[in-house]
């Protein structure tokens, strides 16, 4: 590992009270491009550090969750953290998440889960015991976030502000075309059906082409119903996207479908992506563009 790689290596240990938001935290680090491991037994930390060091620059941003779910390893946690502080090529940061007793009790009641330290008792008993056990660990933390009054979105923003190099919460828009005959995309957040628009498939010279071809794209976009649809759709998305971003969503997948995913949906996906690319990070994909090219079937 080179000196440059050493300086760039980030290792964050996420720990704290059960129910204080560690799941949201690790998801936030994943969105920031960190390699994340949930509930790593402290005894395995030295071996994991060896893997990081041997990986070159492939694991230079790592977030590890270590908490009382592995309480049988709790005694080795402090030893592992001591070893971390003596490691010359990486400077770890401990992020401790905590919350007030009333907030934690409320969350346990809402989720109907038992506390890991008091599975047969009231959650408050487990919370008090855990707070005592974690007192020393809290004292070692470089960062302490109290999540009592934080929404998940607000916790993500705090983490992004502290750990993202550009200090901004990442948000991207993924626009994809697809064909209904090949099935709905399972990862789509918003799906729009454009099968009501005039279909270039029925024009012989356009049938083997796709919506990426100027001839097909111009044909799809020239109709008044297409223009009206795009006017309403861009207006709707312009209204919605800032709110998705405000809620802390890392990405939004917009799927536009026609019958085969070759002509109409492709042309409109390109239009929508071009429309928003100046305001957002936009990724484009055409899932089924090659599946129906040149095939004759009922449209």
């Amino acid at each position: 590992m080179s000196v440059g790689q050493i300086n760039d290596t980030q290792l964050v240990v996420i720990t704290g009270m059960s129910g204080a938001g560690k799941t949201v935290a690790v998801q936030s680090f994943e969105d920031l491009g960190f390699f994340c491991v949930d509930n790593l037994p402290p005894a395995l930390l030295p071996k994991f550090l060896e893997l990081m060091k041997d990986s070159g620059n492939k694991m230079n941003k790592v977030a590890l969750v270590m908490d009382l779910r592995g309480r049988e390893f709790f005694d080795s946690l402090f030893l592992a953290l001591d070893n971390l502080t003596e490691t010359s090529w990486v400077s770890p940061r401990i992020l401790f998440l905590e919350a007030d007793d009333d907030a934690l009790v409320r969350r346990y009641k809402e989720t109907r889960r038992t506390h890991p330290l008091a599975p047969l008792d009231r959650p408050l008993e487990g919370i008090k015991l855990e707070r005592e056990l974690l007192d020393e660990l809290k004292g070692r933390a470089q960062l302490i976030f109290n999540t009592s009054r934080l929404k998940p979105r607000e916790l993500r923003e705090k983490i992004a502000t502290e750990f993202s190099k550009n200090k901004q919460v990442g948000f991207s828009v993924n626009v994809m075309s697809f064909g209904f005959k090949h099935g709905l995309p399972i990862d789509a957040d918003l799906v729009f059906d454009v099968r009501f628009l005039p279909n270039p498939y029925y024009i012989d010279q356009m049938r083997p082409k796709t919506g990426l071809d100027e001839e097909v794209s111009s044909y799809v976009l020239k109709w008044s119903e297409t223009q009206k649809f795009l006017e309403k759709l861009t207006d709707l998305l312009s209204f919605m996207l800032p709110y998705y971003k405000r809620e802390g969503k890392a990405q939004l997948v917009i799927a536009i479908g026609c019958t085969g995913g070759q002509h109409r949906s492709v042309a409109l996906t390109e239009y929508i992506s071009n429309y928003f690319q100046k305001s957002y990070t936009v990724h484009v994909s055409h899932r089924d563009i090659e599946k129906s090219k040149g095939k004759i079937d009922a449209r």
Side-chain angles (χ1 to χ4, degrees):
M1 180 175 289
S2 69
V3 174
Q5 291 170 335
I6 292 173
N7 293 336
D8 289 339
T9 300
Q10 298 183 66
L11 176 61
V12 182
V13 176
I14 306 167
T15 189
M17 297 294 292
S18 302
K22 291 189 288 293
T23 298
V24 173
V26 73
Q27 292 171 348
S28 303
F29 279 101
E30 287 178 344
D31 292 339
L32 293 174
F34 279 70
F35 181 91
C36 298
V37 179
D38 194 5
N39 198 22
L40 179 75
L44 297 182
L45 184 57
K47 179 61 68 174
F48 189 85
L49 288 174
E50 291 180 17
L51 292 174
M52 286 181 61
K53 195 170 184 178
D54 293 341
S55 72
N57 203 35
K58 295 179 181 178
M59 294 176 65
N60 64 348
K61 294 171 62 177
V62 175
L64 308 175
V65 178
M66 295 196 295
D67 56 27
L68 288 183
R69 285 177 294 175
R71 55 190 178 277
E72 64 272 21
F73 301 103
F74 189 67
D75 291 339
S76 62
L77 175 58
F78 294 110
L79 177 61
L81 293 176
D82 288 339
N83 292 335
L84 269 181
T85 59
E86 297 173 1
T87 303
S88 60
W89 57 272
V90 60
S91 297
R93 301 175 73 187
I94 300 175
L95 171 61
F96 189 97
L97 299 178
E98 81 138 309
D100 300 338
D101 288 352
D102 57 346
L104 293 172
V105 170
R106 184 178 67 253
R107 291 171 187 174
Y108 274 104
K109 287 185 176 181
E110 289 173 351
T111 60
R112 299 184 180 181
R113 297 178 59 197
T114 59
H115 193 280
L117 294 185
L120 302 178
D121 208 338
R122 294 180 301 153
L124 185 59
E125 297 304 315
I127 291 169
K128 290 180 178 179
L129 176 58
E130 184 178 33
R131 202 176 291 283
E132 292 177 6
L133 289 172
L134 292 178
D135 186 60
E136 181 180 348
L137 181 59
K138 181 179 178 181
R140 297 187 180 208
Q142 286 80 23
L143 288 170
I144 300 174
F145 290 169
N146 189 312
T147 67
S148 300
R149 295 170 180 81
L150 292 181
K151 297 179 180 178
R153 169 182 59 83
E154 294 170 329
L155 176 56
R156 293 189 189 101
E157 289 176 352
K158 283 180 69 69
I159 290 172
T161 299
E162 185 64 39
F163 293 95
S164 176
K165 289 184 178 180
N166 60 17
K167 303 299 182 182
Q168 295 179 353
V169 178
F171 177 72
S172 62
V173 179
N174 292 266
V175 191
M176 66 179 299
S177 66
F178 74 96
F180 277 94
K181 63 181 291 184
H182 303 296
L184 284 167
I186 61 175
D187 56 347
D189 298 297
L190 302 172
V191 177
F192 297 96
D193 185 349
V194 299
R195 288 176 292 184
F196 65 94
L197 297 176
N199 193 349
Y201 177 85
Y202 294 113
I203 301 176
D204 291 341
Q205 67 268 26
M206 294 188 191
R207 184 172 299 164
K209 298 182 179 181
T210 74
L212 297 177
D213 294 296
E214 176 63 28
E215 182 182 9
V216 175
S217 178
S218 296
Y219 177 87
V220 172
L221 296 176
K222 74 176 183 178
W223 303 98
S224 60
E225 53 263 52
T226 304
Q227 296 170 16
K228 190 67 174 179
F229 171 74
L230 288 173
E231 177 185 343
K232 292 181 178 295
L233 180 58
T234 53
D235 184 57
L236 175 65
L237 294 175
S238 295
F239 170 77
M240 296 173 70
L241 290 178
Y243 291 102
Y244 277 113
K245 183 177 180 180
R246 187 187 69 178
E247 287 302 307
K249 192 170 182 63
Q251 63 173 322
L252 184 75
V253 180
I254 303 170
I256 301 176
C258 60
T259 304
Q262 179 184 341
H263 298 108
R264 294 166 291 182
S265 62
V266 173
L268 269 62
T269 293
E270 290 292 318
Y271 181 94
I272 294 297
S273 63
N274 289 331
Y275 186 91
F276 287 104
Q277 66 179 356
K278 291 183 179 180
S279 303
Y280 300 95
T281 300
V282 179
H283 305 286
V284 184
S285 62
H286 302 293
R287 191 190 72 176
D288 302 322
I289 193 170
E290 297 292 334
K291 292 181 179 178
S292 300
K293 283 185 69 174
K295 294 184 179 179
I296 300 176
D297 54 5
R299 294 290 174 122

